[in-house]
Amino acid sequence: MERKPHAAIISCNAHGEAVCASAARISTTAGDAQAIFENAREHPKNRALIEQVLASGHKSLMEHAVFTLALRDVSVFTEEFFIEFRLASFTVKSRRYVDFSHLGYYIPPELEGEDLALYRRYMDQLFQAYGDLLEAGVPREDARFLLPYSFHSNFYCTLNARELSHLLREIRYGRGQDVPELQALADQLTAQLETQFPCLLPELRQTPGETAGEAPAARRRSAPVFLPREEAGAVSLLSVPAEPEKLLEAAWRMQRPGGERPFTLEALLESRRPRELEQLAYTFTISNLTLSGLTHLVRHRMQSLAAPSIRSVDHSRFILPDSIAAHPARLERYRRAVEAAHTIVLRLPERPILEQYHYYFALSGNLVDVMTTMNARELQWFIRLRSCSRAQWEIRDAAVELLRQLRRSFPELFGRFGPGCFAGGRCPEGRLSCGRMEEIAAYFQTLSYSQRS
């Protein structure tokens, strides 16, 4: 039985409308915050006040209403669309730990006849190959590179009303307006808002001048290209602060005007709130990162990420993981699956309806180039998580190489960064620990002098 994508508002904060109305009143009304809220409860003019304030351009009051959405059986393309909204929080069913063999994939409802048959053949072949690789002993995190971007995802999303409005408007009038799956989800959420939070509905209307822009075209070559692990995920550090230690010291003194404690890197890193690290910005690129690897990167919300649209991905370029490359039978099955899929992709321009949905034909193992900027505090967290031996190998390779280059730029600081067992002196993974703490710590002690692993 085909499962249709569904979006449900499963939670919203109590008295959301009264809270937003209280926020609208507090700057101009006498009384304390609690009293204003108590007066707002069941107030008949709450909705009219909220709509009036929103119409005047003051949107921040909507940030006090919070919703949690459950997205069920949506395509991973839709998942990626949602996750781009960085003022929301997400928890996604993991492709590293869950077998997706029987979770299905999205089928555009207008497909029929030969178009539908070709679409199904493409997807079914890839799911069959995915299952075959799992049976052959390939780890799920590597077999998933064959999963097409139509496969079903399930996740939770929590966001405030202002960001929800932004998301729905972007679907209606922005880069999602030509995606029927997204339109259907927006219809479902809007219908629920009509009863749960109707004061938001005026915000969902189109304003003059909003256009989606031209959708990027996918790139294709005549034959697939496979990149081994050592050629994928190349990191290049593009921009670093000129005098980072001086910036840190200035920020340290700004927060401690009395000068009671002298600045040292040790004191800074031992503090419970090292906000000074946020003054250091680092820009880097990762070339030939898989779409799966990109999902690990975007989970870090405190960054400025420039990544291509899934619509423009090169369908011809694929990762070749070690777990497959080292075994002839696995390699043959992987190559046959990719080549069969690529043959169908090359036929898409002949079939306009399928070409319209070319983004569902992208594979999780397709490769993209990305650029991002993170501050040193976020880098500390990113490296602690992603350089751990339990991290997925692709993002771990990138994190370790990034750390190597950061250490060359500012060894006094970044020489102290690494996985939890190195930077914190203990493994935070508990029973899931790799059990190699001394070995890992020794490796990161000399990382800047070693070759890329």
Side-chain angles (χ1 to χ4, degrees), residues 140-349:
R140 292 190 184 103
E141 68 177 24
D142 290 350
R144 66 175 172 162
F145 291 135
L146 288 182
L147 290 175
Y149 257 54
S150 63
F151 76 85
H152 281 157
S153 175
N154 285 260
F155 63 95
Y156 298 115
C157 168
T158 299
L159 69 179
N160 64 47
R162 187 175 186 178
E163 188 71 352
L164 177 58
S165 170
H166 175 42
L167 186 154
L168 292 173
R169 285 162 56 85
E170 194 64 32
I171 290 176
R172 293 295 194 203
Y173 315 115
R175 63 189 187 281
Q177 68 176 341
D178 61 341
V179 181
E181 181 187 8
L182 289 172
Q183 294 298 316
L185 295 172
D187 288 343
Q188 295 171 21
L189 291 171
T190 301
Q192 294 168 62
L193 287 170
E194 287 178 355
T195 58
Q196 296 192 40
F197 206 71
C199 60
L200 188 62
L201 296 180
E203 286 294 292
L204 306 184
R205 298 173 187 149
Q206 184 177 13
T207 57
E210 291 191 8
T211 59
E214 185 176 353
R219 291 168 287 167
R220 295 153 191 154
R221 307 172 193 225
S222 59
V225 176
F226 296 89
L227 269 70
R229 176 176 181 174
E230 57 268 20
E231 295 181 26
V235 176
S236 180
L237 187 58
L238 301 184
S239 176
V240 302
E243 296 182 297
E245 192 158 0
K246 286 186 177 180
L247 286 174
L248 291 177
E249 184 172 3
W252 173 275
R253 297 190 184 287
M254 193 70 68
Q255 296 191 104
R256 298 165 182 80
E260 66 281 358
R261 189 178 183 189
F263 168 77
T264 64
L265 287 174
E266 289 83 357
L268 170 60
L269 293 176
E270 288 171 0
S271 68
R272 298 181 61 184
R273 192 167 174 258
R275 294 288 299 272
E276 294 88 347
L277 294 175
E278 297 171 23
Q279 306 303 317
L280 305 184
Y282 293 83
T283 299
F284 59 96
T285 60
I286 306 178
S287 303
N288 297 320
L289 181 70
T290 68
L291 294 181
S292 288
L294 180 60
T295 65
H296 292 283
L297 180 64
V298 299
R299 290 175 191 171
H300 295 267
R301 314 307 285 172
M302 302 303 294
Q303 62 174 314
S304 297
L305 181 68
S309 167
I310 303 300
R311 301 178 189 226
S312 65
V313 68
D314 187 340
H315 288 161
S316 312
R317 300 174 67 245
F318 303 89
I319 190 68
L320 182 58
D322 290 348
S323 65
I324 292 174
H327 299 267
R330 298 177 181 177
L331 177 60
E332 173 63 18
R333 186 68 183 96
Y334 188 78
R335 283 187 176 275
R336 280 195 291 111
V338 168
E339 289 167 358
H342 190 67
T343 298
I344 293 177
V345 162
L346 293 179
R347 295 178 56 188
L348 294 185

Side-chain angles (χ1 to χ4, degrees), residues 3-4 15-16 53 76 84 101 103 112 122 128 162 168 171 177 223 232 278 301 394 437:
R3 300 190 294 271
K4 297 185 180 299
H15 311 295
V53 173
V76 73
E84 288 185 21
S101 298
L103 294 185
E112 57 185 17
Y122 181 90
Q128 180 62 53
R162 187 175 186 178
L168 292 173
I171 290 176
Q177 68 176 341
E278 297 171 23
R301 314 307 285 172
E394 183 184 14
M437 179 171 166

Side-chain angles (χ1 to χ4, degrees), residues 379-391 396 399-400 403 407 414-429 434 436-437 439-445 447:
L379 283 169
Q380 183 182 37
W381 183 242
F382 174 77
I383 290 168
R384 180 178 289 249
L385 290 180
R386 302 304 178 182
S387 65
C388 173
S389 61
R390 290 200 63 245
R396 184 174 70 245
V400 171
L403 178 57
R407 285 184 171 185
F414 292 107
R416 306 164 194 269
F417 284 23
C421 61
F422 170 80
R426 66 178 186 85
C427 177
E429 297 293 334
C434 69
R436 299 184 292 125
M437 179 171 166
E439 175 189 344
I440 298 297
Y443 173 78
F444 280 93
Q445 188 67 42
L447 174 67

Side-chain angles (χ1 to χ4, degrees), residues 393-434:
W393 60 263
E394 183 184 14
I395 199 68
R396 184 174 70 245
D397 285 354
V400 171
E401 178 57 24
L402 174 62
L403 178 57
R404 187 192 323 277
Q405 296 183 33
L406 289 168
R407 285 184 171 185
R408 290 171 183 164
S409 75
F410 190 8
E412 295 82 4
L413 175 66
F414 292 107
R416 306 164 194 269
F417 284 23
C421 61
F422 170 80
R426 66 178 186 85
C427 177
E429 297 293 334
R431 65 182 180 83
L432 298 177
S433 171
C434 69

